[in-house]
Amino acid sequence: MNKIITLIMCVAFSATVSGQTVKVEDRIKTLEGDVKTLKGQIETQNGRIASMQSRLNELADRNAEYKKQLDIRQILSVTVDSVKYGIASTEGNTKTGNVIVTLMALNTGDDAFPKILHGASLNDYDGNIYQCSEDSMSVGGLSNYEVLRKNINTKIYLKFTNVLANARISNISFYGGGGTTLFSLRDIKIDWK
């Protein structure tokens, strides 16, 4: 009798294990299918990323070509008649549209008046032109007719008004007597606040 009970228990146990094995095998097949689906999605995303990277590279190349064609290069300092002019800062006020350009001037020659007293104009990349009137320019924080002393740095302040917020300067031109352009500074970022 013990043998029969043992036999019945073995058969029952065997049926239970067999049923669980089928469930585990079904679960493994489902997981394998999910893995294949995820691998396919990853390959699709990698393809999209490669396509986007290729497009970014194309745009970077095109931008470089445009800059070369337009001859855009940053010029932040220049020397004219023994005076070296350079951009010290460019600050813009988004509320008022005022842009203050601060130049640093170093005269290595004899004491002299700066030759840029007849004005300056600012061009932005949108094609707008802004003028700096003579009363909006000061040398060393004083009037616009102060002398540049030999071997002493002097700040020159220029105020441009009604500049469009978030503009970037493509060119600032400075004029001497008779309206001739003495020099230009190019591709200058405005620090907007």
Side-chain angles (χ1 to χ4, degrees):
M1 180 84 163
N2 284 339
K3 290 184 181 182
I4 294 176
I5 291 176
T6 306
L7 183 63
I8 291 173
M9 288 181 68
C10 285
V11 170
F13 180 73
S14 183
T16 304
V17 170
S18 176
Q20 289 178 351
T21 304
V22 171
K23 289 180 185 177
V24 170
E25 288 176 359
D26 289 344
R27 183 69 180 142
I28 289 172
K29 287 181 182 178
T30 303
L31 290 174
E32 286 174 346
D34 290 346
V35 167
K36 286 181 182 177
T37 302
L38 289 174
K39 282 183 180 179
Q41 290 175 350
I42 289 172
E43 288 177 11
T44 302
Q45 291 299 331
N46 285 341
R48 287 181 184 164
I49 290 170
S51 175
M52 286 183 211
Q53 186 63 46
S54 174
R55 180 71 177 140
L56 285 173
N57 291 340
E58 281 179 31
L59 292 174
D61 291 345
R62 188 180 303 168
N63 187 35
E65 287 176 28
Y66 289 155
K67 281 187 173 185
K68 187 176 179 181
Q69 288 173 356
L70 293 173
D71 192 26
I72 296 175
R73 63 185 182 279
Q74 195 171 49
I75 300 174
L76 299 177
S77 65
V78 67
T79 301
V80 177
D81 295 333
S82 75
V83 179
K84 181 178 181 179
Y85 298 96
I87 296 287
S89 67
T90 309
E91 297 178 355
N93 184 319
T94 54
K95 293 179 184 172
T96 63
N98 292 339
V99 172
I100 306 295
V101 176
T102 305
L103 298 175
M104 191 64 75
L106 177 62
N107 183 5
T108 57
D110 294 329
D111 292 357
F113 291 101
K115 295 187 177 181
I116 60 172
L117 300 177
H118 298 285
S121 68
L122 176 155
N123 296 64
D124 66 18
Y125 278 105
D126 292 327
N128 301 305
I129 301 173
Y130 306 93
Q131 294 291 323
C132 176
S133 60
E134 287 186 34
D135 61 345
S136 294
M137 183 184 301
S138 70
V139 177
L142 302 172
S143 75
N144 61 347
Y145 291 105
E146 296 300 318
V147 172
L148 296 176
R149 304 284 177 213
K150 182 176 182 175
N151 293 325
I152 297 176
N153 280 320
T154 306
K155 289 184 179 178
I156 299 175
Y157 301 95
L158 308 164
K159 180 180 178 182
F160 297 92
T161 58
N162 300 318
V163 178
L164 294 176
N166 299 316
R168 184 177 172 108
I169 301 170
S170 65
N171 187 56
I172 297 179
S173 296
F174 296 91
Y175 302 96
T180 57
T181 303
L182 291 175
F183 64 92
S184 295
L185 301 170
R186 299 181 354 184
D187 192 33
I188 301 162
K189 181 182 181 296
I190 299 172
D191 183 18
W192 288 98
K193 295 178 182 174

